[in-house]
Amino acid sequence: MSTFDPSNVDLNSASKEDVICYLSLSENEYNGHLGVRISSVFVIFITSTAFTLFPVAAQRLPQWRIPHHVYLFGRYFGTGVIVATAFIHLLDPAYQSIGPGTCIGMSGAWGEYSWCAAIVLSSVILIFLMDVGAEIVHHPASMLQSARIIDGLTATEPSSPTGSKDLYPHADEISVSSERAFRQDIAAFLVLEFGIIFHSVIIGLNLGVAGDEFATLYPVLVFHQSFEGLGIGARMSALHFGKRRWLPWVLCLAYGLTTPIAIAIGLGVRTSYNPGSRTALIVQGVLDAISAGILIYSGLVELLARDFLFDPCRTKRRGQILYMLGCTLLGAGIMALIGKWA
């Protein structure tokens, strides 16, 4: 790159890597408008937090009297948003940063293998193995509890004249089983939120130092973060936190704060941070690829498959199922459309 002169290109000596790197690598493009950028910290915090809290509040605050179909809309619209985020807002940007057709993907060891795809695959496999491990740890406890219930219904201890205490499990066994089920569910949720937060940090930093595209990027990211928050809140609303009633509100707040904090950091380094540098592109590409793998697995397995295919409590009403599918497709479609700008 150091010997490449764009004003005098010798096609016999210039490599494709030289041309691609010259066109893709850029300098800091910050162009002022500090007041408007500061406002984005508060606007994105308020909107993303509100959208994240809505499904949780609809499920846990019956005094709000939010109609059930409105809650269903928020939950399944959010599911579609997460699936679209995985492919449009994470997988594609990862390839744009470190894919085989980029400056990074043509340079050194990055050009010797399809590392972007490998990172996504590794992320998917890792989350899958974690899920299998959690299932293996939890499942034997469930089987043991079921066996004891059956034994209690078919036999009684000699020391008990009536055997009444053996007809149902003891409260402690149910409590332990419920606790293990909760830990499994919350672990899957935290992995999902972790993947989205990765992405939120990157776009927050980029918004803080964006150039002429800031005017378009700002309103688009307001919707982007709000819809992602709706997806997180929708997933959280389906979890049973028991006595931990404070936890869903803390998790909602954690997501709501992530992007505003990243924007504030971007503003703090607005004259020195360059999102178009080689190092920044590598970091962004790797984080996007990791997040893409997490959300691809979580969206397809934890959300779509479990909610629509393997949930024993799923409604049998065809009209409601079609409504849930319509909300999911609408969320995926709108989030995919937003990918045209951000």
Side-chain angles (χ1 to χ4, degrees):
M1 257 313 269
S2 59
T3 60
F4 180 71
D5 181 6
S7 62
N8 185 21
V9 179
D10 184 353
L11 297 179
N12 294 319
S13 61
S15 67
K16 184 178 180 180
E17 177 188 342
D18 290 331
V19 178
I20 295 295
C21 286
Y22 174 77
L23 294 175
S24 61
L25 300 181
S26 61
E27 301 297 329
N28 184 292
E29 298 179 351
Y30 175 77
N31 62 352
H33 309 293
L34 183 59
V36 180
R37 293 174 192 267
I38 292 176
S39 74
S40 69
V41 174
F42 300 98
V43 171
I44 289 180
F45 168 70
I46 293 172
T47 55
S48 60
T49 303
F51 273 73
T52 309
L53 286 172
F54 171 74
V56 177
Q59 183 74 356
R60 287 172 168 75
L61 298 177
Q63 61 269 27
W64 283 22
R65 297 181 180 177
I66 297 175
H68 184 61
H69 70 273
V70 175
Y71 164 73
L72 288 179
F73 173 83
R75 176 173 176 176
Y76 292 101
F77 181 90
T79 295
V81 165
I82 289 176
V83 174
T85 297
F87 290 96
I88 304 299
H89 297 267
L90 291 171
L91 186 61
D92 184 58
Y95 271 95
Q96 291 178 4
S97 297
I98 59 174
T102 65
C103 170
I104 305 300
M106 296 178 180
S107 306
W110 289 96
E112 297 176 2
Y113 188 73
S114 183
W115 288 109
C116 185
I119 295 171
V120 174
L121 175 62
S122 299
S123 183
V124 170
I125 295 298
L126 178 61
I127 302 304
F128 167 70
L129 292 176
M130 291 173 59
D131 207 9
V132 170
E135 191 71 24
I136 291 175
V137 169
H138 170 65
H139 190 59
S142 299
M143 293 179 62
L144 178 60
Q145 180 186 342
S146 300
R148 287 176 176 174
I149 292 174
I150 295 173
D151 290 342
L153 292 175
T154 56
T156 60
E157 293 182 3
S159 59
S160 176
T162 61
S164 59
K165 71 175 183 178
D166 296 318
L167 292 178
Y168 302 100
H170 299 316
D172 289 341
E173 294 175 1
I174 295 178
S175 177
V176 170
S177 180
S178 298
E179 178 66 18
R180 288 180 176 174
F182 170 76
R183 290 183 180 181
Q184 181 181 5
D185 291 340
I186 196 64
F189 170 79
L190 290 176
V191 167
L192 172 67
E193 185 167 17
F194 181 69
I196 292 179
I197 283 179
F198 259 174
H199 178 52
S200 298
V201 170
I202 294 172
I203 63 177
L205 285 172
N206 290 345
L207 182 64
V209 299
D212 294 335
E213 71 273 18
F214 174 80
T216 301
L217 201 58
Y218 181 6
V220 169
L221 287 185
V222 171
F223 288 99
H224 180 283
Q225 292 305 104
S226 297
F227 289 154
E228 278 191 355
L230 188 63
I232 288 180
R235 178 58 180 163
M236 202 183 314
S237 69
L239 302 182
H240 301 286
F241 289 89
K243 296 181 180 180
R244 306 175 183 84
R245 297 181 180 180
W246 53 271
L247 187 54
W249 310 104
V250 172
L251 293 174
C252 289
L253 185 62
Y255 169 77
L257 284 170
T258 300
T259 301
I261 290 176
I263 296 173
I265 294 173
L267 291 176
V269 296
R270 60 187 179 276
T271 58
S272 57
Y273 174 67
N274 178 19
S277 67
R278 184 183 295 269
T279 301
L281 288 175
I282 292 175
V283 172
Q284 292 176 30
V286 170
L287 292 182
D288 279 342
I290 293 173
S291 299
I294 293 174
L295 263 67
I296 286 173
Y297 180 86
S298 298
L300 299 183
V301 177
E302 299 287 348
L303 300 182
L304 289 183
R306 289 194 178 178
D307 282 357
F308 288 100
L309 300 179
F310 306 126
D311 184 4
C313 299
R314 187 194 65 205
T315 179
K316 304 299 182 182
R317 294 165 53 191
R318 292 186 179 181
Q320 185 168 322
I321 292 177
L322 290 175
Y323 176 72
M324 291 156 54
L325 287 172
C327 294
T328 302
L329 296 176
L330 180 63
I334 291 180
M335 201 61 177
L337 179 62
I338 290 177
K340 177 177 173 63
W341 300 280

